Each structure stands twice: as C-alpha cells, then as structure tokens.
Amino acid sequence: MIKIDNIDKWYDDFHVLKSCSLEVERGEVIVICGPSGSGKSTLIKCVNALEPVDSGRIVVEETDVTAKGTKLPLVRARIGMVFQHFELFPHKTVIENLMMGQIKVLNRSRDEARRKAESLLERVGLSDQADKYPSALSGGQQQRVAIARALAMDPIAMCFDEPTSALDPEMISEVLDVMVELAREGMTMMVVTHEMGFARKVARRVVFMDQGEVKEVAATETFFNNPETDRAKEFLSKILAH
Amino acid sequence: MNYNWNWSVLFQEPYLGWLFSGLQWTLLVAIAAWVIAFVLGSAIGILRTVPNRLVRTLAAAYVELFRNIPLLVQLFIWYFVVPELLPEELGLWVKRDMPNPEYVTAVVALGAYTAARVAEQVRSGIQTIRKDLVNAGLAIGLTPLQTYLYIRLPISYRIIVPPLTSEFLTIFKNSSLALTIGVLELTAQARQIENYTFQGFEAFTAATVLYLVITLLVVLLMRLIDQKTRIPGSVGAN
Ligand SMILES: Nc1ncnc2c1ncn2[C@@H]1O[C@H](COP(=O)(O)OP(=O)(O)OP(=O)(O)O)[C@@H](O)[C@H]1O
Ligand SMILES: [Mg+2]
C-alpha cells in the first residue's frame, strides 16, 4: 500500500536519507526506531510529501506522491499524520479542529462534519472537551484530539512521529491505548516510536534506521531477540535499559 | 512672562470651527492611510513569507526602501517628484484635476510608509508559527493558500494586535506632517489660530488634548479587539 522506493534526500550538503526503501502492506503496523538524527521524522514526512525527496519514488495506493503534478493536498488528506507536539490549531476549539479539514478539504457540510467529529471524540474518550480550546487540555488529551482530527479525514493510513515522547509518563498509556485499538481495527500505520511495549503488542515489523539508512527491517520478535546489526544491538540495549 | 491667557478664544468662531475642521482632517488622513497601510502592509508581509525567492526579495526591498527614507522626504517626493515621473496624461491629471491633491498625496505617502512597518509586524507574526503546525494543516489536505487563510493569518493577526496598535497610534502622530504640503489638519489649524490670535499656548494645548483623546480611544478600541480575538491559553489571556 505504501511503497518507498530507493529515496534519497539532502539538506544542502547533508545526506539525510540514503537510498531508503520500505514497503508497508494494507493493515500492517510498522514501527520505526533508531537513534536521534537518524532520519525517522524526515522519512515519515516524505510519505505525505511534507518534505520533498531528491530522488526515488514513493507510491501510496497507486498514487506517486513524489511525481511532479500530483495533487498533493488530496494525497495528504488520505494519510493521517500525528506529530510529536500535537500541533492542534490553537485558535480553534477541539471540535473545530476536527471539523476544519472535513469542511475545507472534503467539502462535507457543517452538520455532517460535526456528527463525525462528535463520534470520533467519543471514541477517544473526549466528548466532554469538544468546546474547549486545545490549551485547556492535558498533553495526553491533546494528542488524542490530534489522532481524532486525523481520523476525521477517513485516512487510508496513519503516520505517527513520536506521538508519546512529549508526554508525561502517566499520559503515555491513554494515547497508546487509542493507537492499539486503531491497529487492532486494521488501520495501516507507520509509527516512529521508542515505546517497545507498543511495538511488541501491535507491530508486525520493526524498521531500524541509522544515519539516514534503513539498516534493518525485521519481524518484531526477530528484531528484539536477534537484531542483525551491531548498531541495532547497541541501540536496543540502550532503549531497553530504562 | 507677559502672556495674556485667553482660553475663551478656543470657543469662539471661527477658531472653534478651525479646530474641529483640523481634527476632522487628521482623522481623515490617518484612517484612510491606515486602510492602505493595513491592506498593502498585510500583502507585503505575507509575500515576505512565500516560497518564491524573487517575490520575497521584492517584498523585502519595498520594506527597506519605505522604512528607511524619512517620512518627510517621502511626502515631498510623492508631492513634488512623483507627478513628474508619471506618464504625461496621468501626471497632468494629478497636477491639474485630481480633487484634493494635498490630501490624497498625504494619505498615499503615509499609507505607503506605514505599510512597510505593518508588513514587518505581519511577517514576524507569520514566522513565529511553528513549521509543524503548518504541516499539520497541510497534512489534513489544506493547500498552502488555505494554510494562510485558516491557520497562519488568523493566528498571526491575533499575536500582533499590540504592535499594530502602536503603528496605528503612530499614524495619527505622523499625520501632522501633512501640514507641510498644505493639509489643514489639527496641527496646522492650531498654528493658524496662533497666527491670527497670538494665543499659541491655548491653541496647541487644545490640539494636544485632542491628540490625547484620539490616542485613548485607539488604545481602548485595540484593547477591545485584543480581548475579543485573543487565543485562549496564549500569553496574557485569561
Ligand atoms: N530542515 C532541516 N534542515 C537541515 N537539517 C535538518 C532539517 N530537518 C532535519 N535535519 C537534520 O536531519 C537529520 C535527521 O533529522 P530527523 O528529524 O529526520 O531525525 P530523527 O530520526 O527524527 O531524530 P529525532 O529522534 O531526534 O526526532 C538530523 O541530523 C537533523 O538535524
Ligand atoms: Mg524525529
């Protein structure tokens, strides 16, 4: 469903992604991990063309995201994106955050958008927060709103970039629970995270990135029990140490 | 000092009428110039943030040009030089037939100058918005233009209400320069009253009080706008 084919990307003279390839099947959950600066965020942003690539191709369900002339807004609307720092629209209430894309991009009526938003807020357990502004919510609540906002667009896949790393420890599980449920329902997901418990629970495969390269792609248990590369071993021992 | 105070002169005709006529012109110059400054300044501020490099450079050039030449010089250039540079027909029309040329010139000059300052505020407001917040807008499928309409501008304008207030106040003060090309605004009228009555202290006191009243009203208005539009949870919000 998502096919990343040999992409390269530079920031000026810094080679941030080096011949990266990866395929994600429909309904698959893939966890991407690796040391800081290894290019995980960049890779995931390339998937919905928030960052352009310099060479290679990314195809999402028949649509070449990297081709010139692709209608990017429509491609992006079909891929949900959840950011480390939530990125809710601060001048809009929670429910308006969920309605904006539905109205402006999918051309749904306000009523239809509101109904959809309400049902998604219920699903993430935040019905009672609909009319508050994002700043009034805790981090965990904001991130659940962000997930609901992405789901409001009826995405065919979801990308998460360290969705829990800005959260206080006691709020991590309320976000992970929503993500686990989503995975169990069969959502295609690419998740950058260092939550190895989450990976073990729902990821079919784990991708290990290092210095801009996809170093290892392995079935989850294989990766944890028998990492191939020394870099992955080293990384795992650091991550699992705490 | 041997000065004959005579406050009553302020309440005699024609002087009272002059004061109010001056006040009226001050308001007309400042408010019309502000409309130009706000619209043009917003456009230029936005253009300073677009991806296209040439557009950004041109917008930056405008700001540097208009911000760095003294306003008085600009006023004279608009009044004495620009009509000569216009295509012949238009130039003739401006010099001979344009109604109220001093007023129009003052408004254009003050508007173009203040636009450069407004543009800087708008640009800095837009640039304080995190890249990933814009990305979040793009990720739900908004076009770059829509991210300006629904995210970047609504947030920026709320942030920059305070600095825009001070630009708005400055435009009232700067409008007094219009007297140099013959607009009979408040300061000019105060001077005229002095010439006729030799009651300069009274006349300029009256002008000062009227400027203060304008300032107060502007501050109150902008504070109201600030309270109405402020993003909950932002600095200073309740
Ligand atoms: N806009 C940019 N311009 C220049 N360099 C950048 C830019 N964005 C990222 N980089 C660099 O690219 C490298 C990869 O960044 P990226 O954010 O993809 O890493 P990451 O694996 O997500 O790291 P982290 O775990 O810290 O989030 C980093 O060294 C970063 O400094
Ligand atoms: Mg990152």
Side-chain angles (χ1 to χ4, degrees):
Chain A
M1 169 180 239
I2 299 173
K3 188 166 173 352
I4 300 171
D5 187 10
N6 205 16
I7 60 168
D8 275 274
K9 179 173 176 62
W10 299 75
Y11 282 125
D12 297 322
D13 51 6
F14 178 62
H15 203 174
V16 57
L17 293 176
K18 302 171 186 158
S19 324
C20 293
S21 293
L22 180 65
E23 258 185 80
V24 185
E25 285 166 30
R26 186 182 305 279
E28 187 178 27
V29 177
I30 261 191
V31 159
I32 301 168
C33 62
S36 182
S38 55
K40 308 177 297 288
S41 298
T42 309
L43 180 73
I44 216 160
K45 279 180 182 152
C46 288
V47 171
N48 60 359
L50 289 176
E51 289 288 347
V53 300
D54 291 313
S55 69
R57 265 167 33 113
I58 299 177
V59 179
V60 177
E61 255 206 347
E62 322 283 282
T63 310
D64 188 340
V65 176
T66 45
K68 272 212 172 81
T70 305
K71 292 249 181 308
L72 290 181
L74 297 180
V75 175
R76 290 178 182 138
R78 297 167 69 211
I79 305 170
M81 182 94 193
V82 175
F83 299 84
Q84 182 172 3
H85 297 286
F86 331 131
E87 311 302 349
L88 296 178
F89 308 133
H91 59 306
K92 296 282 175 191
T93 61
V94 164
I95 193 141
E96 287 169 343
N97 264 271
L98 270 65
M99 290 165 64
M100 186 192 285
Q102 299 187 68
I103 293 170
K104 305 293 181 200
V105 180
L106 302 180
N107 296 317
R108 289 181 184 153
S109 71
R110 281 196 76 83
D111 281 346
E112 199 184 351
R114 180 174 294 275
R115 274 197 301 278
K116 173 105 189 165
E118 280 166 352
S119 79
L120 282 166
L121 283 179
E122 192 178 333
R123 174 168 168 186
V124 298
L126 294 170
S127 294
D128 49 338
Q129 312 289 327
D131 296 318
K132 290 194 181 161
Y133 282 88
S135 56
L137 273 56
S138 72
Q141 290 174 323
Q142 289 190 51
Q143 194 61 298
R144 284 186 281 153
V145 172
I147 294 173
R149 177 178 66 184
L151 292 175
M153 306 299 289
D154 292 321
I156 55 172
M158 291 275 287
C159 295
F160 296 80
D161 188 4
E162 306 207 33
T164 57
S165 60
L167 297 177
D168 293 338
E170 72 272 16
M171 293 175 186
I172 290 177
S173 66
E174 66 187 57
V175 171
L176 289 182
D177 288 347
V178 172
M179 292 170 62
V180 168
E181 196 189 307
L182 208 54
R184 299 243 155 99
E185 286 168 11
M187 178 60 81
T188 309
M189 293 163 65
M190 287 179 76
V191 185
V192 176
T193 185
H194 292 162
E195 290 293 332
M196 293 306 151
F198 172 80
R200 290 193 118 124
K201 211 185 250 176
V202 294
R204 192 185 306 166
R205 291 185 295 160
V206 175
V207 175
F208 176 69
M209 289 189 69
D210 189 32
Q211 296 179 352
E213 287 179 80
V214 172
K215 274 273 157 57
E216 225 173 304
V217 184
T220 306
E221 285 312 312
T222 317
F223 178 75
F224 284 115
N225 300 331
N226 267 319
E228 242 169 65
T229 57
D230 288 341
R231 290 288 290 164
K233 270 180 207 148
E234 198 184 318
F235 174 76
L236 272 176
S237 66
K238 270 189 209 147
I239 281 276
L240 298 174
H242 53 243
Chain B
M1 198 174 67
N2 218 346
Y3 187 82
N4 284 323
W5 290 96
N6 180 10
W7 290 98
S8 67
V9 70
L10 295 176
F11 302 96
Q12 288 164 15
E13 286 306 338
Y15 311 120
L16 182 66
W18 289 1
L19 274 179
F20 276 96
S21 155
L23 175 64
Q24 195 184 346
W25 281 110
T26 290
L27 293 173
L28 283 173
V29 169
I31 290 171
W34 180 250
V35 171
I36 293 179
F38 189 77
V39 173
L40 184 63
S42 294
I44 290 167
I46 292 166
L47 292 180
R48 288 204 66 182
T49 67
V50 300
N52 185 306
R53 184 127 173 211
L54 178 66
V55 171
R56 273 200 327 254
T57 310
L58 289 175
Y62 179 96
V63 170
E64 291 312 322
L65 186 67
F66 282 86
R67 211 171 43 157
N68 291 321
I69 299 175
L71 177 56
L72 190 57
V73 175
Q74 291 189 35
L75 200 56
F76 288 164
I77 290 176
W78 282 107
Y79 195 58
F80 296 113
V81 183
V82 170
E84 308 298 331
L85 302 178
L86 292 173
E88 206 172 312
E89 301 245 317
L90 188 60
L92 266 182
W93 179 80
V94 166
K95 279 183 276 186
R96 282 202 318 225
D97 303 324
M98 188 171 73
N100 230 334
E102 295 82 15
Y103 172 70
V104 173
T105 306
V107 166
V108 168
L110 194 52
Y113 168 79
T114 312
R117 307 178 56 94
V118 170
E120 275 305 271
Q121 305 297 350
V122 171
R123 176 191 63 78
S124 79
I126 293 173
Q127 287 178 344
T128 55
I129 295 172
R130 277 195 314 278
K131 190 159 180 238
D132 269 348
L133 187 63
V134 178
N135 277 341
L138 293 171
I140 58 168
L142 298 181
T143 62
L145 179 65
Q146 285 177 317
T147 66
Y148 274 98
L149 290 179
Y150 304 129
I151 300 172
R152 292 193 233 202
L153 297 181
I155 298 174
S156 318
Y157 279 108
R158 286 165 160 95
I159 299 175
I160 63 173
V161 172
L164 284 186
T165 305
S166 73
E167 294 304 336
F168 196 20
L169 290 174
T170 306
I171 218 168
F172 283 100
K173 292 180 221 155
N174 283 341
S175 70
S176 63
L177 286 180
L179 72 85
T180 59
I181 57 169
V183 178
L184 290 176
E185 46 66 72
L186 189 51
T187 307
Q189 293 288 16
R191 222 166 55 167
Q192 186 166 280
I193 294 172
E194 190 207 3
N195 285 340
Y196 276 71
T197 65
F198 304 104
Q199 305 299 142
F201 282 104
E202 292 85 341
F204 281 103
T205 306
T208 305
V209 168
L210 289 173
Y211 278 117
L212 274 176
V213 169
I214 293 175
T215 301
L216 268 169
L217 289 178
V218 168
V219 168
L220 283 176
L221 173 75
M222 295 303 271
R223 192 171 290 166
L224 208 68
I225 292 177
D226 193 24
Q227 279 166 2
K228 284 261 181 272
T229 60
R230 187 170 268 172
I231 299 168
S234 64
V235 185
N238 38 20

